[in-house]
Amino acid sequence: SQTIHQWPATLVQPVGSPLSLECTVEGTSNPNLYWYRQAAGRGLQLLFYSVGIGQISSEVPQNLSASRPQDRQFILSSKKLLLSDSGFYLCAWGTPIRSSYEQYFGPGTRLTVT
Amino acid sequence: SQQGEEDPQALSIQEGENATMNCSYKTSINNLQWYRQNSGRGLVHLILIRSNEREKHSGRLRVTLDTSKKSSSLLITASRAADTASYFCATDSRGSNYKLTFGKGTLLTVNP
């Protein structure tokens, strides 16, 4: 069965510090991978998605970046965090083989920028 | 951009009652999905309905889709305290490249 991992679960970082959030998927090959951000009490904002290794599409211009160094690994980074980067970050995967577009989410990372 | 808009934003009911949540969207879709999110957790896929379907059932869940009105409803029958969560609709459309657009969600509270 497929499993998706995210770490860390929570993170408190000062403004201006770097960020690296990691997401890995097990049990599937060549998944589409997604990073979302969720502000408190709000819906999900798609940040990045990837359809293959090294292929990253950015949905929202900002000081975040994403990379996919391996088929089932997706990393969200920042060189210098802003207060506005605080939020709940969710990684998700979906299979391009199926036409139903279902996505499967990780447990999330709660980021607080102080 | 947020395509789906759930209504109401918050709903509080007693255990055993039915809960109905609505979702409206703006552009033509291929599929509409409903997800549940428990507080502080990731989203869990509940059910998908295709644009050529009008109704779908899964256990205590019933989803309807009216493409002429660009709206969907999620009915949870005989609710339980464990159903307390936020519920989101998500849509995809032709050419969306496997991207989903989520609404802002309905917070459902089921009181024991």
Side-chain angles (χ1 to χ4, degrees):
Chain A
S1 63
Q2 298 86 8
T3 309
I4 180 168
H5 303 279
Q6 275 186 257
W7 63 90
T10 60
L11 191 59
V12 180
Q13 292 283 97
V15 168
S17 63
L19 173 73
S20 181
L21 303 181
E22 188 163 345
C23 170
T24 59
V25 181
E26 297 176 355
T28 187
S29 296
N30 195 30
N32 288 344
L33 296 173
Y34 307 85
W35 277 113
Y36 292 91
R37 178 170 60 202
Q38 185 178 32
R42 301 297 301 276
L44 275 69
Q45 179 186 37
L46 178 63
L47 301 176
F48 301 95
Y49 72 98
S50 172
V51 299
I53 296 175
Q55 300 179 60
I56 309 295
S57 296
S58 174
E59 292 294 299
V60 182
Q62 56 204 327
N63 70 322
L64 299 173
S65 62
S67 62
R68 184 171 178 174
Q70 300 181 43
D71 181 45
R72 289 168 286 180
Q73 184 185 29
F74 205 22
I75 297 172
L76 183 69
S77 304
S78 174
K79 293 182 179 178
K80 289 186 177 181
L81 284 168
L82 306 173
L83 284 174
S84 58
D85 291 324
S86 293
F88 192 48
Y89 288 82
L90 289 158
C91 181
W93 72 273
T95 173
I97 299 174
R98 301 173 62 179
S99 63
S100 58
Y101 293 57
E102 294 171 19
Q103 293 184 12
Y104 304 92
F105 286 79
T109 294
R110 176 79 56 194
L111 172 65
T112 303
V113 182
T114 60
Chain B
S1 62
Q2 300 283 352
Q3 153 121 288
E5 291 287 341
E6 289 88 346
D7 166 51
Q9 291 187 3
L11 179 63
S12 181
I13 61 174
Q14 296 299 121
E15 207 164 25
E17 295 180 340
N18 295 341
T20 300
M21 289 160 273
N22 304 296
C23 169
S24 60
Y25 56 92
K26 298 176 182 176
T27 61
S28 297
I29 63 170
N30 281 342
N31 308 286
L32 186 143
Q33 306 179 46
W34 285 91
Y35 289 79
R36 183 187 74 221
Q37 183 182 32
N38 290 86
S39 180
R41 307 294 295 274
L43 278 71
V44 175
H45 179 264
L46 295 176
I47 194 166
L48 177 146
I49 187 165
R50 300 184 188 279
S51 59
N52 61 354
E53 298 175 313
R54 292 297 168 257
E55 188 171 312
K56 204 161 184 180
H57 297 255
S58 176
R60 294 185 294 112
L61 304 180
R62 173 178 170 254
V63 170
T64 61
L65 179 64
D66 187 335
T67 53
S68 67
K69 296 182 179 179
K70 291 186 169 59
S71 67
S72 172
S73 67
L74 171 67
L75 168 67
I76 303 175
T77 60
S79 63
R80 306 165 182 169
D83 295 328
T84 294
S86 291
Y87 292 82
F88 296 88
C89 66
T91 58
D92 66 80
S93 55
R94 190 180 304 276
S96 64
N97 200 17
Y98 301 99
K99 293 184 292 183
L100 296 178
T101 302
F102 286 84
K104 297 179 181 179
T106 292
L107 176 58
L108 172 66
T109 302
V110 181
N111 301 298

